[in-house]
Amino acid sequence: HYKKLEKELSQAKEQLLRNQLHPHFLFNAFNSIYSLSLKNHPDTSDYILKLSSMMRYITDETHIEKVPLTKELDFIKKYIAIEKIRFGKDANIHFTIEENRNEEKFIEPFLLITLVENAFKHGFYTNAKDAFVNINVTLVDNELFFNVENKIFKKQHFQESNRKGKGLKNLKQRLHLLYPKNSRLEINSVKNRYTTQLKITLN
């Protein structure tokens, strides 16, 4: 009985942490729509269409415990496509996927997007020529490696102590609940580069 209650408590905590991600993401997304609409940007309608598809994923898929990894990565692709509309198609943003698998893998939803959001929030909030975001996904058998790297600007140094904010704290809590012995998150800040490396063994 105690183990059953403990499991239910963990599931409740995980669901609460998952829900906290949605308002944060929507706030950023609607701000981007507002910015484009003020400029009468020709891609505004395309932006709304992509956001609509992402909203469907949020409402229809993430209520279940696990989703196909392909759907989670497709969600990130749409997020990046929206940011490219926002910052310009020539923005230095790269997303690569390297896979070696014979069957579909599954993952808890909204684990990976936190690191992507952080990269844009802290390292690509401007159209500076040397701004960049690089995201690399490698899947070998059951081992998932999700690496994110972005530029750090001098005028942002006063915010570095707040970099590990709500989003990363949320992610760490979820990893502790969902993959207590099968995940590792490393965060490094060296000179003008900020990197996060997440490894998860997918069951």
Side-chain angles (χ1 to χ4, degrees):
H1 181 67
Y2 174 79
K3 288 184 177 180
K4 181 181 178 181
L5 289 176
E6 186 177 41
K7 181 180 179 180
E8 290 176 350
L9 178 60
S10 294
Q11 290 175 340
K13 287 181 178 179
E14 196 279 327
Q15 185 64 46
L16 176 62
L17 293 170
R18 181 187 297 178
N19 289 340
Q20 288 176 349
L21 293 173
H22 298 178
H24 175 68
F25 167 74
L26 291 176
F27 178 78
N28 291 337
F30 283 118
N31 267 348
S32 298
I33 287 181
Y34 176 69
S35 177
L36 288 180
S37 66
L38 289 178
K39 302 174 183 177
N40 292 319
H41 198 288
D43 290 330
T44 302
S45 59
D46 185 39
Y47 187 110
I48 296 173
L49 185 62
K50 284 184 171 61
L51 181 59
S52 175
S53 176
M54 296 171 76
M55 286 294 296
R56 181 171 293 278
Y57 177 75
I58 291 173
T59 57
D60 292 354
E61 301 290 345
T62 58
H63 65 283
I64 60 178
E65 290 185 4
K66 292 186 179 182
V67 296
L69 179 62
T70 51
K71 286 192 174 183
E72 186 76 358
L73 294 179
D74 183 64
F75 177 81
I76 293 175
K77 286 179 182 178
K78 288 184 172 67
Y79 179 92
I80 293 173
I82 288 174
E83 293 290 23
K84 283 187 176 181
I85 294 174
R86 179 183 174 193
F87 291 108
K89 295 181 180 180
D90 295 329
N92 192 3
I93 303 170
H94 299 283
F95 181 43
T96 58
I97 301 176
E98 303 173 20
E99 298 176 289
N100 179 18
R101 61 179 177 178
N102 297 319
E103 59 183 16
E104 181 68 87
K105 302 300 180 183
F106 291 82
I107 190 172
E108 280 71 12
F110 282 92
L111 275 179
L112 307 178
I113 189 63
T114 299
L115 299 180
V116 179
E117 281 189 302
N118 266 11
F120 282 98
K121 180 180 178 181
H122 298 281
F124 214 107
Y125 59 90
T126 175
N127 280 324
K129 293 182 180 180
D130 55 347
F132 69 88
V133 171
N134 296 325
I135 303 166
N136 178 261
V137 182
T138 303
L139 181 63
V140 181
D141 297 326
N142 290 335
E143 301 294 332
L144 173 67
F145 301 88
F146 192 81
N147 301 325
V148 182
E149 182 182 38
N150 63 268
K151 173 78 173 183
I152 296 177
F153 294 96
K154 291 183 178 180
K155 64 180 181 180
Q156 196 191 1
H157 283 177
F158 71 95
Q159 295 178 335
E160 285 188 21
S161 61
N162 295 326
R163 183 62 186 269
K164 299 179 182 180
K166 185 176 181 180
L168 286 178
K169 181 179 179 181
N170 188 303
L171 174 60
K172 289 179 179 180
Q173 287 178 297
R174 294 186 68 201
L175 289 172
H176 177 71
L177 286 171
L178 299 166
Y179 300 96
K181 297 181 180 180
N182 295 315
S183 65
R184 182 178 74 246
L185 177 63
E186 295 182 1
I187 301 173
N188 295 289
S189 178
V190 180
K191 294 183 179 180
N192 62 347
R193 289 174 178 261
Y194 188 90
T195 61
T196 54
Q197 298 175 309
L198 174 61
K199 177 186 176 182
I200 302 177
T201 301
L202 301 177
N203 297 324

Coordinates of all heavy atoms in Angstrom, one line a residue, residues 59-144:
T59 N -2.1 19.5 -26.3 CA -3.4 19.1 -25.8 C -3.8 17.6 -26.0 O -4.5 17.0 -25.2 CB -4.6 19.9 -26.4 OG1 -4.5 19.8 -27.8 CG2 -4.4 21.4 -26.0
D60 N -3.3 17.0 -27.2 CA -3.8 15.7 -27.5 C -2.8 14.6 -27.2 O -3.1 13.4 -27.0 CB -4.0 15.6 -29.1 CG -5.2 16.4 -29.5 OD1 -5.9 17.0 -28.6 OD2 -5.4 16.5 -30.7
E61 N -1.5 15.0 -27.0 CA -0.5 13.9 -26.8 C 0.1 13.9 -25.4 O 0.4 12.8 -24.9 CB 0.7 14.1 -27.8 CG 0.2 14.1 -29.3 CD -0.2 12.7 -29.7 OE1 0.1 11.7 -29.0 OE2 -0.9 12.6 -30.8
T62 N 0.3 15.0 -24.8 CA 1.1 15.0 -23.6 C 0.4 14.6 -22.3 O 0.9 14.6 -21.2 CB 1.7 16.4 -23.4 OG1 0.7 17.4 -23.3 CG2 2.7 16.8 -24.5
H63 N -0.9 14.2 -22.5 CA -1.6 13.7 -21.3 C -1.2 12.2 -21.0 O -1.5 11.7 -19.9 CB -3.1 13.8 -21.5 CG -3.6 12.9 -22.6 ND1 -3.5 13.2 -23.9 CD2 -4.2 11.7 -22.5 CE1 -4.0 12.2 -24.7 NE2 -4.5 11.3 -23.9
I64 N -0.6 11.6 -22.0 CA -0.1 10.2 -21.8 C 1.3 10.2 -21.2 O 2.0 11.2 -21.3 CB -0.2 9.4 -23.1 CG1 0.7 10.0 -24.2 CG2 -1.6 9.3 -23.5 CD1 0.7 9.2 -25.4
E65 N 1.7 9.1 -20.6 CA 3.0 9.0 -20.0 C 4.2 9.2 -20.9 O 5.1 9.9 -20.6 CB 3.1 7.7 -19.2 CG 2.2 7.6 -18.0 CD 2.4 6.4 -17.2 OE1 3.4 5.6 -17.5 OE2 1.7 6.1 -16.2
K66 N 4.1 8.5 -22.1 CA 5.2 8.5 -23.0 C 4.7 8.8 -24.4 O 3.6 8.4 -24.8 CB 6.0 7.3 -23.0 CG 6.8 7.1 -21.7 CD 7.7 5.8 -21.7 CE 8.5 5.7 -20.4 NZ 9.4 4.5 -20.5
V67 N 5.5 9.4 -25.3 CA 5.2 9.7 -26.7 C 6.3 9.2 -27.5 O 7.5 9.0 -27.0 CB 5.0 11.2 -26.9 CG1 3.8 11.7 -26.1 CG2 6.2 12.0 -26.6
P68 N 6.1 8.9 -28.8 CA 7.2 8.5 -29.7 C 8.2 9.6 -29.7 O 7.9 10.8 -29.8 CB 6.5 8.3 -31.0 CG 5.1 8.0 -30.7 CD 4.8 8.8 -29.5
L69 N 9.5 9.2 -29.7 CA 10.5 10.2 -29.8 C 10.4 11.1 -31.1 O 10.7 12.3 -31.0 CB 11.9 9.5 -29.7 CG 13.1 10.4 -29.8 CD1 13.2 11.4 -28.7 CD2 14.4 9.5 -29.9
T70 N 10.0 10.5 -32.1 CA 9.8 11.2 -33.4 C 8.9 12.4 -33.3 O 9.1 13.5 -33.8 CB 9.3 10.3 -34.5 OG1 8.2 9.6 -34.1 CG2 10.4 9.3 -34.9
K71 N 7.8 12.2 -32.5 CA 6.8 13.3 -32.3 C 7.4 14.4 -31.4 O 7.2 15.6 -31.7 CB 5.6 12.8 -31.6 CG 4.7 11.9 -32.6 CD 3.3 11.7 -32.0 CE 2.4 11.0 -33.0 NZ 1.0 10.8 -32.4
E72 N 8.2 14.0 -30.4 CA 8.9 15.0 -29.6 C 9.8 15.8 -30.4 O 9.9 17.1 -30.2 CB 9.5 14.3 -28.4 CG 10.1 15.3 -27.4 CD 9.1 15.9 -26.5 OE1 7.9 15.6 -26.6 OE2 9.5 16.7 -25.6
L73 N 10.6 15.2 -31.3 CA 11.6 15.9 -32.1 C 10.9 16.8 -33.1 O 11.3 17.8 -33.5 CB 12.5 14.9 -32.8 CG 13.4 14.1 -31.8 CD1 14.3 13.2 -32.6 CD2 14.3 15.1 -31.0
D74 N 9.7 16.3 -33.6 CA 9.0 17.1 -34.6 C 8.4 18.4 -34.0 O 8.4 19.4 -34.6 CB 7.8 16.3 -35.2 CG 7.0 17.0 -36.2 OD1 7.6 17.3 -37.3 OD2 5.8 17.3 -36.0
F75 N 8.1 18.3 -32.7 CA 7.6 19.4 -31.9 C 8.7 20.4 -31.8 O 8.5 21.7 -32.0 CB 7.2 19.0 -30.5 CG 6.7 20.1 -29.6 CD1 5.5 20.7 -29.7 CD2 7.6 20.6 -28.7 CE1 5.1 21.7 -28.9 CE2 7.2 21.7 -27.9 CZ 6.0 22.2 -28.0
I76 N 10.0 20.0 -31.6 CA 11.1 20.9 -31.5 C 11.4 21.5 -32.9 O 11.8 22.7 -33.0 CB 12.3 20.1 -30.9 CG1 12.1 19.7 -29.5 CG2 13.6 20.9 -31.0 CD1 13.2 18.8 -28.9
K77 N 11.3 20.7 -33.9 CA 11.5 21.2 -35.3 C 10.5 22.4 -35.6 O 11.0 23.4 -36.1 CB 11.2 20.1 -36.3 CG 12.3 19.1 -36.4 CD 12.0 18.1 -37.5 CE 13.1 17.0 -37.5 NZ 12.7 15.9 -38.5
K78 N 9.3 22.3 -35.2 CA 8.3 23.4 -35.4 C 8.7 24.6 -34.5 O 8.6 25.7 -35.0 CB 6.9 22.9 -35.0 CG 6.3 21.9 -36.0 CD 4.9 21.6 -35.7 CE 4.2 20.8 -36.8 NZ 4.8 19.4 -36.9
Y79 N 9.1 24.3 -33.3 CA 9.6 25.4 -32.4 C 10.7 26.2 -33.1 O 10.7 27.4 -33.1 CB 10.0 24.9 -31.1 CG 10.5 25.9 -30.1 CD1 9.6 26.5 -29.2 CD2 11.8 26.3 -30.1 CE1 10.1 27.5 -28.3 CE2 12.3 27.3 -29.2 CZ 11.4 27.9 -28.4 OH 11.8 28.9 -27.5
I80 N 11.7 25.5 -33.6 CA 12.8 26.1 -34.2 C 12.4 26.8 -35.5 O 12.9 27.9 -35.8 CB 13.9 25.1 -34.5 CG1 14.5 24.5 -33.2 CG2 15.1 25.7 -35.4 CD1 15.5 23.4 -33.4
A81 N 11.5 26.3 -36.3 CA 11.0 26.9 -37.5 C 10.4 28.2 -37.2 O 10.5 29.2 -37.9 CB 10.0 26.0 -38.2
I82 N 9.6 28.3 -36.0 CA 9.0 29.5 -35.6 C 10.1 30.6 -35.2 O 10.0 31.7 -35.6 CB 8.1 29.2 -34.4 CG1 6.8 28.5 -34.9 CG2 7.7 30.6 -33.7 CD1 5.9 28.0 -33.8
E83 N 11.1 30.1 -34.5 CA 12.2 31.1 -34.2 C 12.9 31.6 -35.4 O 13.4 32.7 -35.4 CB 13.1 30.4 -33.2 CG 12.5 30.0 -31.8 CD 12.2 31.3 -31.0 OE1 12.1 32.4 -31.5 OE2 12.2 31.1 -29.8
K84 N 13.0 30.7 -36.4 CA 13.7 31.2 -37.7 C 12.9 32.2 -38.4 O 13.4 33.2 -39.0 CB 13.9 30.0 -38.6 CG 15.1 29.1 -38.2 CD 15.4 28.1 -39.2 CE 16.7 27.3 -38.8 NZ 17.0 26.2 -39.9
I85 N 11.5 32.1 -38.3 CA 10.7 33.2 -38.8 C 10.9 34.4 -38.1 O 11.0 35.5 -38.6 CB 9.2 32.7 -38.8 CG1 9.0 31.5 -39.7 CG2 8.3 33.9 -39.2 CD1 7.6 30.9 -39.6
R86 N 11.0 34.3 -36.8 CA 11.1 35.5 -35.9 C 12.4 36.2 -36.1 O 12.5 37.4 -36.2 CB 11.0 35.0 -34.4 CG 11.1 36.1 -33.4 CD 11.1 35.5 -32.0 NE 11.3 36.4 -31.0 CZ 11.6 36.1 -29.7 NH1 11.6 34.9 -29.3 NH2 11.8 37.0 -28.8
F87 N 13.6 35.4 -36.2 CA 14.9 36.1 -36.3 C 15.4 36.2 -37.7 O 16.5 36.8 -37.9 CB 15.9 35.3 -35.4 CG 15.6 35.4 -33.9 CD1 15.1 34.3 -33.2 CD2 15.9 36.6 -33.3 CE1 14.9 34.4 -31.9 CE2 15.7 36.7 -31.9 CZ 15.2 35.6 -31.2
G88 N 14.7 35.5 -38.7 CA 15.2 35.6 -40.0 C 15.7 34.2 -40.5 O 16.3 33.5 -39.7
K89 N 15.4 33.9 -41.7 CA 15.8 32.6 -42.2 C 17.3 32.4 -42.3 O 17.8 31.3 -42.4 CB 15.2 32.4 -43.6 CG 13.7 32.3 -43.6 CD 13.1 32.1 -44.9 CE 11.5 32.0 -44.9 NZ 10.9 31.8 -46.2
D90 N 18.1 33.5 -42.3 CA 19.5 33.4 -42.4 C 20.2 33.3 -41.0 O 21.4 33.3 -40.8 CB 20.1 34.5 -43.1 CG 19.7 34.5 -44.6 OD1 19.5 33.4 -45.1 OD2 19.6 35.6 -45.2
A91 N 19.4 33.3 -39.9 CA 19.9 33.2 -38.6 C 20.7 31.9 -38.4 O 20.4 30.9 -39.0 CB 18.7 33.2 -37.6
N92 N 21.7 32.0 -37.6 CA 22.7 30.9 -37.4 C 22.1 29.9 -36.4 O 22.5 29.9 -35.2 CB 24.0 31.4 -36.9 CG 25.1 30.4 -36.9 OD1 24.9 29.3 -37.3 ND2 26.3 30.8 -36.4
I93 N 21.1 29.1 -36.8 CA 20.4 28.2 -36.0 C 20.5 26.8 -36.7 O 20.1 26.7 -37.9 CB 18.9 28.5 -35.8 CG1 18.8 29.9 -35.2 CG2 18.2 27.5 -35.0 CD1 17.4 30.5 -35.2
H94 N 21.0 25.8 -36.0 CA 21.2 24.5 -36.6 C 20.6 23.4 -35.7 O 20.8 23.4 -34.5 CB 22.7 24.2 -36.9 CG 23.3 25.2 -37.8 ND1 23.1 25.2 -39.2 CD2 24.1 26.3 -37.5 CE1 23.8 26.1 -39.7 NE2 24.4 26.8 -38.8
F95 N 19.9 22.5 -36.4 CA 19.3 21.4 -35.6 C 19.6 20.1 -36.4 O 19.1 19.9 -37.6 CB 17.8 21.6 -35.5 CG 17.0 20.5 -34.7 CD1 17.6 19.9 -33.6 CD2 15.8 20.0 -35.2 CE1 16.9 18.9 -32.9 CE2 15.1 19.0 -34.5 CZ 15.7 18.5 -33.3
T96 N 20.3 19.2 -35.9 CA 20.7 18.0 -36.6 C 20.3 16.7 -35.8 O 20.4 16.7 -34.5 CB 22.2 17.9 -36.9 OG1 22.9 18.0 -35.6 CG2 22.7 19.1 -37.7
I97 N 19.9 15.7 -36.5 CA 19.5 14.4 -35.8 C 20.3 13.3 -36.4 O 20.3 13.1 -37.7 CB 18.0 14.2 -36.0 CG1 17.2 15.3 -35.4 CG2 17.6 12.8 -35.4 CD1 15.7 15.2 -35.7
E98 N 21.0 12.5 -35.6 CA 21.7 11.4 -36.0 C 21.2 10.1 -35.3 O 21.1 10.1 -34.1 CB 23.2 11.5 -35.7 CG 23.9 12.8 -36.3 CD 25.3 13.0 -35.7 OE1 25.9 12.0 -35.2 OE2 25.8 14.1 -35.8
E99 N 20.7 9.2 -36.1 CA 20.0 8.1 -35.6 C 20.6 6.7 -36.0 O 21.0 6.6 -37.1 CB 18.5 8.1 -35.9 CG 17.7 9.3 -35.4 CD 16.3 9.4 -35.9 OE1 16.1 9.6 -37.2 OE2 15.4 9.1 -35.1
N100 N 20.5 5.8 -35.1 CA 20.9 4.4 -35.4 C 20.0 3.5 -34.7 O 20.2 3.1 -33.5 CB 22.4 4.1 -35.0 CG 22.8 2.7 -35.3 OD1 22.1 2.0 -36.1 ND2 23.8 2.3 -34.7
R101 N 18.8 3.2 -35.2 CA 17.8 2.5 -34.5 C 17.0 1.6 -35.5 O 16.8 1.9 -36.7 CB 16.9 3.4 -33.8 CG 16.1 4.4 -34.7 CD 15.2 5.3 -33.9 NE 14.5 6.2 -34.7 CZ 13.6 7.1 -34.3 NH1 13.3 7.1 -33.0 NH2 13.1 7.9 -35.1
N102 N 16.4 0.6 -35.0 CA 15.5 -0.3 -35.8 C 14.1 -0.2 -35.4 O 13.2 -0.7 -36.1 CB 16.0 -1.8 -35.6 CG 17.4 -2.0 -36.1 OD1 17.8 -1.4 -37.1 ND2 18.2 -2.7 -35.3
E103 N 13.8 0.4 -34.3 CA 12.4 0.5 -33.9 C 12.2 1.9 -33.2 O 13.1 2.6 -32.8 CB 12.0 -0.6 -32.9 CG 12.9 -0.6 -31.7 CD 12.6 -1.8 -30.7 OE1 11.9 -2.7 -31.2 OE2 13.0 -1.8 -29.6
E104 N 10.9 2.3 -33.1 CA 10.5 3.6 -32.5 C 10.9 3.5 -31.0 O 10.6 2.6 -30.3 CB 9.0 3.8 -32.7 CG 8.6 5.2 -32.1 CD 9.2 6.4 -32.8 OE1 8.5 6.8 -33.8 OE2 10.2 6.8 -32.4
K105 N 11.4 4.6 -30.5 CA 11.7 4.8 -29.1 C 10.6 5.8 -28.5 O 10.1 6.6 -29.2 CB 13.1 5.4 -28.8 CG 14.2 4.5 -29.4 CD 14.2 3.1 -28.8 CE 15.3 2.2 -29.5 NZ 15.3 0.9 -29.0
F106 N 10.4 5.7 -27.2 CA 9.5 6.5 -26.5 C 10.1 7.3 -25.4 O 11.1 6.8 -24.7 CB 8.3 5.6 -25.9 CG 7.5 5.0 -27.0 CD1 7.9 3.9 -27.7 CD2 6.3 5.6 -27.4 CE1 7.1 3.3 -28.7 CE2 5.5 5.1 -28.4 CZ 5.9 3.9 -29.1
I107 N 9.5 8.5 -25.1 CA 10.1 9.4 -24.1 C 8.9 10.2 -23.5 O 7.9 10.4 -24.1 CB 11.1 10.3 -24.7 CG1 11.9 11.1 -23.7 CG2 10.4 11.3 -25.7 CD1 13.0 11.9 -24.2
E108 N 9.1 10.6 -22.2 CA 8.1 11.5 -21.6 C 8.1 12.8 -22.3 O 9.2 13.4 -22.6 CB 8.5 11.7 -20.1 CG 8.0 10.5 -19.2 CD 8.9 9.3 -19.4 OE1 10.0 9.4 -20.1 OE2 8.5 8.2 -18.9
P109 N 7.0 13.4 -22.6 CA 6.9 14.6 -23.4 C 7.4 15.8 -22.6 O 7.4 15.9 -21.4 CB 5.4 14.8 -23.7 CG 4.7 14.0 -22.6 CD 5.6 12.8 -22.3
F110 N 7.9 16.8 -23.4 CA 8.4 18.1 -22.9 C 9.7 17.9 -22.0 O 9.9 18.8 -21.2 CB 7.3 18.8 -22.1 CG 6.3 19.5 -23.0 CD1 5.2 18.8 -23.4 CD2 6.5 20.7 -23.5 CE1 4.3 19.4 -24.2 CE2 5.6 21.3 -24.3 CZ 4.5 20.7 -24.7
L111 N 10.4 16.9 -22.2 CA 11.7 16.9 -21.5 C 12.8 17.7 -22.2 O 13.6 18.3 -21.6 CB 12.2 15.4 -21.3 CG 11.6 14.6 -20.1 CD1 12.2 13.2 -20.2 CD2 12.0 15.3 -18.8
L112 N 12.8 17.6 -23.5 CA 13.9 18.2 -24.3 C 13.7 19.7 -24.6 O 14.6 20.4 -24.7 CB 14.0 17.4 -25.6 CG 14.2 15.9 -25.5 CD1 14.3 15.2 -26.8 CD2 15.4 15.6 -24.6
I113 N 12.4 20.1 -24.7 CA 12.2 21.5 -25.2 C 12.7 22.5 -24.2 O 13.0 23.6 -24.6 CB 10.6 21.7 -25.4 CG1 10.4 23.0 -26.1 CG2 9.9 21.6 -24.1 CD1 10.9 23.1 -27.5
T114 N 12.8 22.2 -22.9 CA 13.3 23.2 -21.9 C 14.7 23.7 -22.3 O 15.0 24.9 -22.2 CB 13.4 22.5 -20.5 OG1 12.1 22.1 -20.2 CG2 13.9 23.5 -19.5
L115 N 15.6 22.8 -22.7 CA 17.0 23.2 -23.1 C 17.0 24.0 -24.3 O 17.8 24.9 -24.5 CB 17.8 21.9 -23.3 CG 18.0 21.0 -22.1 CD1 18.8 19.8 -22.4 CD2 18.5 21.8 -20.9
V116 N 16.0 23.7 -25.3 CA 16.0 24.5 -26.5 C 15.5 25.9 -26.2 O 16.0 26.9 -26.7 CB 15.0 23.8 -27.5 CG1 14.9 24.7 -28.8 CG2 15.6 22.5 -27.8
E117 N 14.4 26.0 -25.4 CA 13.9 27.3 -25.0 C 14.9 28.2 -24.3 O 15.1 29.4 -24.6 CB 12.7 27.1 -24.0 CG 11.4 26.8 -24.7 CD 10.2 26.8 -23.8 OE1 10.3 26.1 -22.8 OE2 9.3 27.6 -24.0
N118 N 15.7 27.6 -23.4 CA 16.7 28.3 -22.7 C 17.8 28.9 -23.6 O 18.3 30.0 -23.5 CB 17.4 27.4 -21.7 CG 16.8 27.5 -20.3 OD1 15.7 28.1 -20.1 ND2 17.5 26.9 -19.3
A119 N 18.1 28.1 -24.7 CA 19.2 28.6 -25.6 C 18.7 29.8 -26.3 O 19.5 30.8 -26.5 CB 19.5 27.4 -26.6
F120 N 17.4 29.8 -26.7 CA 16.9 31.0 -27.5 C 16.7 32.2 -26.5 O 16.9 33.3 -26.8 CB 15.6 30.7 -28.2 CG 15.9 29.9 -29.5 CD1 15.7 28.5 -29.5 CD2 16.2 30.6 -30.6 CE1 16.0 27.8 -30.7 CE2 16.4 29.9 -31.8 CZ 16.3 28.5 -31.8
K121 N 16.2 31.9 -25.3 CA 15.9 32.9 -24.4 C 17.1 33.7 -23.9 O 17.1 34.9 -23.8 CB 15.2 32.3 -23.1 CG 14.8 33.4 -22.1 CD 14.1 32.7 -20.9 CE 13.8 33.7 -19.8 NZ 13.2 33.0 -18.6
H122 N 18.2 33.0 -23.7 CA 19.4 33.6 -23.2 C 20.6 33.8 -24.2 O 21.5 34.6 -23.9 CB 20.0 32.7 -22.0 CG 19.1 32.5 -20.9 ND1 18.9 33.5 -19.9 CD2 18.2 31.5 -20.6 CE1 18.0 33.1 -19.0 NE2 17.6 31.9 -19.4
G123 N 20.5 33.1 -25.4 CA 21.6 33.3 -26.3 C 21.2 33.7 -27.7 O 22.1 33.9 -28.5
F124 N 19.9 33.9 -27.9 CA 19.5 34.3 -29.3 C 18.3 35.3 -29.2 O 17.4 35.2 -30.0 CB 19.1 33.1 -30.1 CG 19.5 33.3 -31.6 CD1 20.5 32.6 -32.1 CD2 18.8 34.1 -32.4 CE1 20.9 32.7 -33.5 CE2 19.1 34.3 -33.7 CZ 20.2 33.5 -34.3
Y125 N 18.4 36.2 -28.3 CA 17.4 37.2 -28.1 C 17.6 38.4 -28.9 O 16.8 39.4 -28.9 CB 17.2 37.6 -26.6 CG 18.5 38.2 -26.0 CD1 18.7 39.5 -26.1 CD2 19.5 37.4 -25.5 CE1 19.9 40.1 -25.6 CE2 20.6 37.9 -25.0 CZ 20.9 39.2 -25.0 OH 22.0 39.7 -24.5
T126 N 18.7 38.4 -29.7 CA 19.0 39.5 -30.5 C 19.5 39.0 -31.9 O 19.8 37.9 -32.1 CB 20.2 40.3 -29.9 OG1 20.6 41.4 -30.8 CG2 21.4 39.4 -29.6
N127 N 19.5 39.9 -32.9 CA 20.0 39.6 -34.2 C 21.5 39.9 -34.4 O 21.9 40.1 -35.5 CB 19.2 40.4 -35.3 CG 17.8 39.8 -35.5 OD1 17.6 38.6 -35.5 ND2 16.8 40.6 -35.8
A128 N 22.2 39.8 -33.3 CA 23.7 40.0 -33.4 C 24.3 39.0 -34.4 O 23.8 37.8 -34.4 CB 24.3 39.8 -32.0
K129 N 25.2 39.4 -35.2 CA 25.8 38.5 -36.2 C 26.4 37.3 -35.7 O 26.4 36.3 -36.4 CB 26.8 39.3 -37.1 CG 26.2 40.5 -37.9 CD 27.3 41.2 -38.7 CE 26.6 42.3 -39.5 NZ 27.6 43.0 -40.3
D130 N 27.0 37.4 -34.5 CA 27.7 36.2 -33.9 C 26.8 35.4 -33.0 O 27.3 34.4 -32.3 CB 28.9 36.6 -33.2 CG 28.7 37.7 -32.1 OD1 27.6 38.2 -32.1 OD2 29.6 37.9 -31.3
A131 N 25.5 35.6 -33.0 CA 24.6 34.8 -32.2 C 24.4 33.5 -32.9 O 24.3 33.4 -34.1 CB 23.2 35.5 -32.0
F132 N 24.2 32.4 -32.1 CA 24.0 31.1 -32.7 C 23.4 30.2 -31.7 O 23.5 30.4 -30.5 CB 25.4 30.5 -33.2 CG 26.3 30.1 -32.1 CD1 26.2 28.8 -31.5 CD2 27.3 31.0 -31.6 CE1 27.1 28.4 -30.5 CE2 28.1 30.6 -30.6 CZ 28.0 29.3 -30.0
V133 N 22.7 29.2 -32.2 CA 22.1 28.1 -31.4 C 22.4 26.8 -32.2 O 21.9 26.7 -33.4 CB 20.6 28.3 -31.1 CG1 20.1 27.0 -30.5 CG2 20.4 29.4 -30.2
N134 N 23.1 25.8 -31.6 CA 23.3 24.6 -32.2 C 22.7 23.4 -31.4 O 23.0 23.4 -30.2 CB 24.8 24.3 -32.4 CG 25.5 25.3 -33.3 OD1 24.9 25.7 -34.3 ND2 26.7 25.7 -33.0
I135 N 21.9 22.6 -32.0 CA 21.2 21.5 -31.3 C 21.5 20.2 -32.0 O 21.3 20.1 -33.2 CB 19.7 21.8 -31.2 CG1 19.4 23.1 -30.6 CG2 19.0 20.6 -30.5 CD1 18.0 23.5 -30.7
N136 N 22.0 19.3 -31.3 CA 22.4 18.0 -31.9 C 21.8 16.8 -31.1 O 21.9 16.8 -29.9 CB 23.9 17.8 -32.0 CG 24.3 16.5 -32.6 OD1 24.6 15.5 -31.9 ND2 24.3 16.4 -33.9
V137 N 21.1 16.0 -31.9 CA 20.4 14.8 -31.3 C 21.1 13.5 -31.8 O 21.2 13.4 -33.1 CB 18.9 14.8 -31.6 CG1 18.3 13.6 -30.9 CG2 18.3 16.1 -31.2
T138 N 21.6 12.7 -31.0 CA 22.2 11.4 -31.4 C 21.5 10.3 -30.6 O 21.3 10.3 -29.4 CB 23.7 11.4 -31.1 OG1 24.3 12.5 -31.7 CG2 24.3 10.1 -31.6
L139 N 21.0 9.3 -31.4 CA 20.4 8.1 -30.8 C 21.1 6.9 -31.2 O 21.1 6.6 -32.4 CB 18.9 8.1 -31.2 CG 18.1 6.9 -30.6 CD1 18.0 7.0 -29.1 CD2 16.7 6.9 -31.2
V140 N 21.7 6.2 -30.3 CA 22.4 4.9 -30.6 C 21.7 3.9 -29.7 O 21.9 3.9 -28.5 CB 23.9 5.0 -30.3 CG1 24.6 3.7 -30.6 CG2 24.5 6.2 -31.1
D141 N 21.0 2.9 -30.4 CA 20.2 1.9 -29.6 C 19.3 2.6 -28.7 O 18.4 3.3 -29.1 CB 21.2 1.0 -28.9 CG 22.1 0.2 -29.9 OD1 21.6 -0.1 -31.0 OD2 23.2 -0.1 -29.6
N142 N 19.5 2.4 -27.3 CA 18.6 3.0 -26.4 C 19.2 4.3 -25.7 O 18.6 4.9 -24.9 CB 18.3 2.1 -25.2 CG 17.4 0.9 -25.7 OD1 16.7 1.0 -26.6 ND2 17.5 -0.2 -25.0
E143 N 20.4 4.7 -26.2 CA 21.0 5.9 -25.6 C 20.7 7.1 -26.4 O 21.0 7.2 -27.6 CB 22.5 5.7 -25.6 CG 23.0 4.4 -24.8 CD 22.7 4.6 -23.3 OE1 22.7 5.7 -22.8 OE2 22.5 3.6 -22.6
L144 N 20.1 8.1 -25.8 CA 19.8 9.4 -26.4 C 20.7 10.4 -25.8 O 20.8 10.6 -24.6 CB 18.3 9.8 -26.1 CG 17.9 11.2 -26.5 CD1 17.9 11.3 -28.0 CD2 16.5 11.5 -25.9

